[in-house]
Amino acid sequence: MSRTVLVFVKQVPDTQNITGDAMTPEGTVNRSALPAIFNPEDLNALELALQLKDRFGLHVTVATMGPPKAAEILRDCLCRGADEGILLTDRAFAGADTLATSYALSCCANKVPDVALVLCGRQAIDGDTAQVGPQLAEKLHVPQICYTEEVLAMTASHVVARRRIQGGYEVLQSPLPSLLTVVDGNDPRPMAARRIMKYKRARTLSEVRAALGGKDADPAAVKAEAARLQKQGLLITEWSALDAGADLGRTGLAGSPTKVKQVMSVVLTAGDAKKIEPTADGVGQLIHELIADHTLG
Ligand SMILES: Cc1cc2nc3c(=O)[nH]c(=O)nc-3n(C[C@H](O)[C@H](O)[C@H](O)COP(=O)(O)OP(=O)(O)OC[C@H]3O[C@@H](n4cnc5c(N)ncnc54)[C@H](O)[C@@H]3O)c2cc1C
């Protein structure tokens, strides 16, 4: 049986605490101006993967595409129980829409050996499209079960999952490898104290280089420190677009047909409210107005 569950996790702006300019003039998210959090449903996807690790001894690899700072979310995953982290980071990934994002993630998934399941959150709270999981399944040519709440059974060849549907649930069986998108049906475990003590020291190569002086760092010192971390299982894998085997014409802005033209913050004011008298005439007049502006009819 394939042994790896690959979970894609995303660090997202905390949309409950927006400060400064949330958008760049190009219409992409100004991530540096916003506090970053673990995308909520990706925590559920990670928890599902960790439950599979507990039940079947599977290896849990987590991966994210983002700026160097996104290594934080991988450390978080390691502290919760993941075995390995991969950071996809490169200027060539910047400004990606869902098509370019799912392409980059598919390049990553194709490089990870022995994958039985790919897990994604259902939706990220910044872009909010819920397209990346299904697009990724298509690019990997694997079946998908969306809105997964729980994995009921798993064998060497199949997975059986319960997915949420309106007013109930469905139980589906799918051959492996498969991709599942996960909804908020479980209770993500907290970080474990012993793992925090170990993995708070985990670093990517970029972080090692930055700590040793950035561009001026002595390459030999960087190499030695990376080797030391690797030996302790504390070196987080870092891939550029080329490392991931990506075609640069299909990544980032270059590979993104979607252009966000404008984002507006709509604030309703008291002047937008209209009082309707609770009488037959009042209601009749309201209905006429709604038909006239095509809200009804
Ligand atoms: C206001 C606004 C509107 C936008 N509209 C569109 C649009 O109409 N069409 C479009 O194509 N793009 C759009 N985008 C861009 C979109 O935010 C990006 O494509 C984004 O990187 C991925 O889409 P998502 O956040 O919607 O992911 P979703 O599809 O909602 O994410 C689902 C899951 O995929 C995984 N995932 C997604 N991104 C990553 C990542 N970087 N690393 C690891 N895992 C990941 C996670 O598991 C996540 O839970 C818009 C962005 C903004 C700010």
Side-chain angles (χ1 to χ4, degrees):
M1 156 149 142
S2 301
R3 305 304 297 170
T4 297
V5 183
L6 175 60
V7 191
F8 283 107
V9 295
K10 185 180 184 188
Q11 205 178 33
V12 291
D14 184 353
T15 48
Q16 300 292 317
N17 290 296
I18 290 185
T19 52
D21 295 325
M23 305 302 295
T24 66
E26 291 79 39
T28 55
V29 178
N30 184 8
R31 290 173 196 280
S32 58
L34 300 167
I37 59 167
F38 206 124
N39 182 53
E41 285 176 326
D42 298 357
L43 264 180
N44 297 112
L46 175 64
E47 175 56 31
L48 192 66
L50 294 175
Q51 289 174 8
L52 295 174
K53 176 178 170 176
D54 295 343
R55 287 161 68 189
F56 306 112
L58 300 181
H59 181 87
V60 175
T61 299
V62 286
T64 192
M65 181 182 89
K69 177 178 175 299
E72 288 165 5
I73 197 176
L74 299 176
R75 270 189 289 277
D76 186 322
C77 294
L78 292 167
C79 293
R80 288 173 198 269
D83 298 299
E84 196 182 338
I86 303 170
L87 174 66
L88 288 171
T89 190
D90 196 316
R91 283 184 192 281
F93 290 135
D97 67 4
T98 58
L99 198 69
T101 300
S102 57
Y103 171 69
L105 302 191
S106 73
C107 293
C108 171
N110 281 329
K111 276 201 73 172
V112 176
D114 209 22
V115 174
L117 279 178
V118 178
L119 303 188
C120 289
R122 175 191 56 116
Q123 188 163 344
I125 60 168
D126 54 349
D128 252 353
T129 65
Q131 292 170 358
V132 170
Q135 288 178 354
L136 178 56
E138 189 179 305
K139 289 185 171 66
L140 295 174
H141 306 290
V142 299
Q144 57 186 289
I145 301 179
C146 296
Y147 290 76
T148 299
E149 289 180 325
E150 194 182 346
V151 168
L152 301 175
M154 194 170 164
T155 66
S157 58
H158 285 85
V159 62
V160 180
R162 190 182 68 219
R163 72 182 288 259
R164 186 178 298 166
I165 56 172
Q166 204 169 11
Y169 64 84
E170 259 178 3
V171 174
L172 297 181
Q173 175 174 293
S174 179
L176 298 179
S178 280
L179 181 144
L180 313 183
T181 73
V182 181
V183 291
D184 59 350
N186 59 32
D187 189 11
R189 69 194 65 186
M191 291 188 250
R194 280 178 68 171
R195 295 185 73 93
I196 294 174
M197 293 313 290
K198 176 172 179 184
Y199 289 108
K200 69 180 182 187
R201 293 179 287 123
R203 294 288 179 272
T204 61
L205 193 58
S206 292
E207 289 175 320
V208 170
R209 194 174 294 116
L212 293 175
K215 280 188 196 139
D216 301 328
D218 172 7
V222 173
K223 201 171 163 193
E225 176 61 4
R228 191 187 67 79
L229 289 172
Q230 176 92 61
K231 212 167 159 188
Q232 296 177 8
L234 293 175
L235 187 67
I236 297 173
T237 302
E238 182 177 326
W239 286 340
S240 66
L242 290 177
D243 293 333
D247 168 353
L248 297 189
R250 296 181 66 187
T251 61
L253 270 180
S256 300
T258 308
K259 307 286 174 236
V260 179
K261 197 166 172 219
Q262 192 182 8
V263 179
M264 286 180 294
S265 173
V266 179
V267 180
L268 296 179
T269 60
D272 299 320
K274 188 171 174 185
K275 194 168 178 205
I276 308 291
E277 292 303 325
T279 61
D281 280 353
V283 173
Q285 193 187 339
L286 174 65
I287 289 172
H288 282 299
E289 284 177 21
L290 292 175
I291 290 171
D293 74 5
H294 305 291
T295 306
L296 287 183

